[in-house]
Amino acid sequence: MNQNIKHIPVMTEEIIESLKIQENGIYIDSTFGMGGHSIEILKKLGKKGKLYAIDKDLNSVLIGNKIQDQRFCIIHDTFSNILNYAKSKQIVGKVDGILFDLGVSSLQIEDYQRGFSFKKNGPLDMRMNQNCGITASDWIFKSDIKKIICVLKNFGEERFAKKIAYAIKNYNKRKKITETLELVNIIKRSIPIKNIFKHPARRTFQAIRIYINQELEEIKNALKDTLKILKPGGRIIVISFHSLEDRIIKKFMIKNSVKEIIPYGMPITEKEIEKLKICKLKIINRLFPSFEEIKKNPRARSSILRTAELK
Ligand SMILES: C[S@@+](CC[C@H](N)C(=O)[O-])C[C@H]1O[C@@H](n2cnc3c(N)ncnc32)[C@H](O)[C@@H]1O
């Protein structure tokens, strides 16, 4: 792990404000990363407050383990297991706030040995948890053209998905792609490069990363469970970095904040009707980073923060 890498946390002030931190409250940071947000939460917590953190990247957990604070603990796990974590800590229905700061941390993107970056060469891995799952290199090698096109389109919204997939598979006939810049060069050779501001491999790397780490499934599953873990008045805060994630969060918050419309004459009992009518969430805000923040931290550029509160 490169000790010199720094991660500038995104929209910290807005997060702290949206979390409405209670002195002795219980909080979960589901995406510890390099701990930027966790540290700020701890500063606001009183002596009896608690902060539970999660990260699926072992390097992040190693950073978290260095925090000597009895109000804090961290586990190495995926946040789709958040309910089990909450059960093990006996905090189901007691939590005041849950934070998700999605995507990759600087620790991952700037360590070229992890394979997330299209800027410098490294092994084509892309797994957030290197103890399990398949590497990007193996996945590309094993997948057929159809599957690669589907991933590039669905998770990268890549216009040239077909061209890139064919170029990859042609290359695979001679050699397995094992390094990041090998993949970048294949992409560069296979598509017209017009937009000099956007790297031609950006969408492909995003798509493969999302697929390899099952990022969209993870967030869908975890969001559902937050409704069981929070206490009434507790808040969910999610920062997303692209429209695919944001769509899921927006849909989840809207779905759970709108009363179901029950069609007239539907054969269900009064009790069932009452259950359906309950809307569990109140949408609090949707925030974007300030110009000042984007100037200081260009990574914040595409972030959107959404907050909802359990009723
Ligand atoms: C954007 S960074 C978080 C940065 C952090 N807020 C900070 O201030 O340093 C996202 C982190 O979430 C972790 N992560 C992403 N998906 C995860 C998942 N499904 N379960 C657990 N951790 C996840 C990544 O490993 C990464 O460390």
Side-chain angles (χ1 to χ4, degrees):
M1 183 180 15
N2 185 339
Q3 309 283 345
N4 298 322
I5 297 172
K6 295 259 177 302
H7 177 89
I8 309 173
V10 169
M11 285 202 268
T12 307
E13 260 176 50
E14 292 85 344
I15 287 175
I16 297 298
E17 212 161 282
S18 301
L19 271 175
K20 271 202 334 191
I21 296 185
Q22 313 291 310
E23 208 188 331
N24 294 325
I26 301 175
Y27 295 86
I28 302 178
D29 180 353
S30 319
T31 50
F32 178 80
M34 296 190 80
H37 292 133
S38 275
I39 298 289
E40 294 307 315
I41 295 170
L42 283 170
K43 279 184 196 164
K44 294 273 172 193
L45 276 181
K47 275 190 188 146
K48 289 189 183 147
K50 271 275 180 196
L51 174 62
Y52 296 94
I54 307 173
D55 207 295
K56 74 197 288 189
D57 192 315
L58 191 59
N59 286 340
S60 286
V61 178
L62 293 177
I63 294 175
N65 282 340
K66 287 186 188 149
I67 298 179
Q68 300 283 319
D69 188 324
Q70 53 188 357
R71 300 167 304 165
F72 175 81
C73 71
I74 185 164
I75 53 156
H76 183 216
D77 205 344
T78 68
F79 55 56
S80 57
N81 276 334
I82 193 167
L83 184 57
N84 285 334
Y85 187 32
K87 278 181 185 165
S88 74
K89 297 291 174 190
Q90 297 175 326
I91 54 168
V92 174
K94 297 181 184 166
V95 173
D96 293 274
I98 304 177
L99 169 67
F100 295 89
D101 175 16
L102 301 173
V104 274
S105 70
S106 305
L107 190 64
Q108 293 163 329
I109 205 100
E110 283 170 31
D111 180 349
Y112 302 114
Q113 295 308 311
R114 301 295 301 273
F116 291 105
S117 173
F118 43 75
K119 291 186 179 151
K120 281 199 185 160
N121 206 20
L124 191 59
D125 188 326
M126 292 202 202
R127 287 170 304 162
M128 288 179 183
N129 182 353
Q130 291 184 299
N131 293 342
C132 60
I134 182 170
T135 66
S137 166
D138 285 342
W139 175 75
I140 288 173
F141 193 64
K142 281 184 188 161
S143 303
D144 60 20
I145 287 184
K146 251 190 179 167
K147 178 77 186 171
I148 296 176
I149 294 174
C150 173
V151 166
L152 299 194
K153 273 195 178 156
N154 290 342
F155 301 140
E157 296 170 322
E158 173 57 71
R159 265 194 315 144
F160 300 109
K162 225 174 172 176
K163 283 199 162 121
I164 295 171
Y166 273 93
I168 286 174
K169 281 290 130 184
N170 255 336
Y171 188 90
N172 271 171
K173 281 180 197 159
R174 283 176 286 123
K175 187 184 173 303
K176 184 175 175 183
I177 307 167
T178 56
E179 293 181 347
T180 49
L181 289 192
E182 230 178 331
L183 178 58
V184 169
N185 289 331
I186 295 168
I187 297 166
K188 278 183 176 168
R189 284 197 299 268
S190 62
I191 64 173
I193 298 166
K194 285 191 186 134
N195 189 343
I196 53 161
F197 298 108
K198 289 200 172 146
H199 196 287
R202 194 176 61 92
R203 287 177 179 276
T204 300
F205 270 63
Q206 174 191 300
I208 298 174
R209 191 201 84 208
I210 291 176
Y211 179 77
I212 291 290
N213 295 291
Q214 296 291 300
E215 291 179 33
L216 303 185
E217 283 311 307
E218 278 283 313
I219 186 67
K220 272 186 209 161
N221 291 334
L223 284 175
K224 253 191 344 232
D225 286 341
T226 59
L227 299 175
K228 297 179 192 144
I229 298 167
L230 288 171
K231 72 180 195 193
R235 290 185 164 194
I236 313 165
I237 314 243
V238 191
I239 305 172
S240 61
F241 290 86
H242 54 77
S243 56
L244 297 169
E245 280 169 350
D246 187 54
R247 234 174 275 153
I248 291 171
I249 294 136
K250 183 174 153 191
K251 213 167 141 192
F252 165 80
M253 289 186 175
I254 291 175
K255 184 178 164 223
N256 287 288
S257 61
V258 176
K259 284 189 184 178
E260 299 270 347
I261 298 162
I262 303 148
Y264 181 72
M266 205 173 149
I268 53 174
T269 64
E270 285 294 318
K271 217 173 161 189
E272 283 166 334
I273 290 174
E274 276 318 301
K275 244 188 184 172
L276 277 172
K277 275 183 181 168
I278 296 169
C279 54
K280 300 162 198 130
L281 290 177
K282 180 174 146 199
I283 293 177
I284 303 293
N285 60 25
R286 180 184 64 154
L287 301 172
F288 300 94
S290 64
F291 287 116
E292 288 73 34
E293 173 161 9
I294 295 172
K295 248 201 272 170
K296 277 190 222 149
N297 181 16
R299 209 182 74 82
R301 192 176 55 236
S302 50
S303 55
I304 303 178
L305 182 156
R306 289 185 189 267
T307 308
E309 188 176 286
L310 193 75
K311 286 192 173 176

